[in-house]
Amino acid sequence: MQTKQIRIHYLEHAAHETPGLIAEWAHERDHSVSGSRLYLGEPIPRLEYMDMLIVLGGPMSVHNTGTYPWLKEEKHFIENAIENNTPMLGICLGAQLIAEVLGADVYPMNHKEIGFFPVTLTPDGQHHPVASALPHHFTAFHWHGETFTIPQSARLISRSNACLHQGFTLGENIVGLQFHPEVTPKMVENFVTAGEVELDGARYTQDASTMLEKADSNELRGALFELLDRLATRVGRRMMEPMSL
């Protein structure tokens, strides 16, 4: 579905966790894309300068505000974006940040989940107007050691064997995904290089060669594009609503 040009802004937390396929989708749709590399001290623009917000992943925890003081400002910004009903997609750390802002707990998992593993949509996910763009069963790339409880009023949309809370939605404008649908083969290579110390052979941790072999078969490209198309349609509806900054 083609929508009018919209302004997409992303929040980036690490050099190896870029927008990837999200940027490819935006360019194909002729949407404008800008970003704030928070780890380099780049500022976040005001909400009125964006129509959709993408909160990317990162190796830090939502709790590491002492080491990464910009996390406090980012959480405040996400809170304002939620209050203004800004269409938003959070990925991995991004989903955890949104969940925490919404009052959920973010906590360590029993096992890290690193590599390509199956994910299943819940009935709520299968019937959600945006999240249902994802297949009922699919394999996704993961790299996380923490997870979240489902925020109040949100809906659990996906799960895996290692992580029962793989995604959530809040209304039709907010989607949080614990997995990484945006990765390109080069991004998987960069993940492996940046996080090599974490590849300890644990139960849900694949070795580097397995991940690199699977990197060319990201089956979620089309589904991600459809999900983003559907989220983009929410922008037009939001433009009909008053914004209070």
Side-chain angles (χ1 to χ4, degrees), residues 221-242:
R221 181 183 185 276
L224 172 64
F225 280 29
E226 176 63 24
L227 185 151
L228 291 167
D229 281 341
R230 296 183 185 186
L231 198 58
T233 65
R234 303 299 305 166
V235 171
R237 300 183 190 184
R238 174 179 171 271
M239 287 177 175
M240 304 296 293
E241 303 167 356

Side-chain angles (χ1 to χ4, degrees), residues 13-14 39 57-64 68 70-71 93 96 146:
H13 308 97
Y39 59 98
M60 63 286 297
S61 168
V62 300
H63 306 298
N64 293 155
Y68 307 99
W70 42 261
L71 281 169
L93 173 66
Q96 295 168 3
E146 292 189 320

Side-chain angles (χ1 to χ4, degrees), residues 137-148:
H137 305 279
F138 55 91
T139 298
F141 183 67
H142 309 257
W143 200 299
H144 63 109
E146 292 189 320
T147 187
F148 42 72

Side-chain angles (χ1 to χ4, degrees), residues 46-224:
R46 289 173 58 88
L47 272 174
E48 63 260 41
Y49 296 119
M50 63 190 74
D51 302 312
M52 181 189 296
L53 177 64
I54 309 292
V55 190
L56 298 173
M60 63 286 297
S61 168
V62 300
H63 306 298
N64 293 155
T65 52
T67 305
Y68 307 99
W70 42 261
L71 281 169
K72 294 181 180 179
E73 178 187 355
E74 181 180 16
K75 291 177 186 181
H76 180 66
F77 181 80
I78 291 171
E79 182 179 18
N80 288 339
I82 292 170
E83 290 175 353
N84 282 286
N85 211 23
T86 302
M88 189 183 320
L89 172 64
I91 294 174
C92 200
L93 173 66
Q96 295 168 3
L97 285 164
I98 296 170
E100 188 191 46
V101 168
L102 289 169
D105 294 325
V106 177
Y107 57 94
M109 298 166 55
N110 293 329
H111 305 277
K112 290 182 179 181
E113 189 174 28
I114 297 176
F116 288 88
F117 293 102
V119 176
T120 300
L121 282 194
T122 66
D124 279 338
Q126 294 173 24
H127 293 96
H128 189 270
V130 176
S132 60
L134 297 168
H136 289 187
H137 305 279
F138 55 91
T139 298
F141 183 67
H142 309 257
W143 200 299
H144 63 109
E146 292 189 320
T147 187
F148 42 72
T149 58
I150 301 303
Q152 186 176 7
S153 300
R155 295 289 182 267
L156 173 67
I157 60 167
S158 55
R159 59 183 54 183
S160 68
N161 288 337
C163 182
L164 294 181
H165 293 167
Q166 276 287 346
F168 67 89
T169 56
L170 182 67
E172 296 184 7
N173 280 24
I174 296 176
V175 178
L177 303 176
Q178 187 64 79
F179 53 91
H180 287 271
E182 84 288 5
V183 290
T184 64
K186 181 60 177 177
M187 285 180 66
V188 174
E189 181 181 335
N190 291 341
F191 266 89
V192 170
T193 300
E196 186 175 9
V197 67
E198 297 186 69
L199 305 184
D200 56 7
R203 182 177 179 184
Y204 292 103
T205 300
Q206 290 176 346
D207 58 74
S209 60
T210 298
M211 285 187 276
L212 294 174
E213 287 173 5
K214 293 177 177 292
D216 287 327
S217 58
N218 184 351
E219 63 185 67
L220 290 180
R221 181 183 185 276
L224 172 64

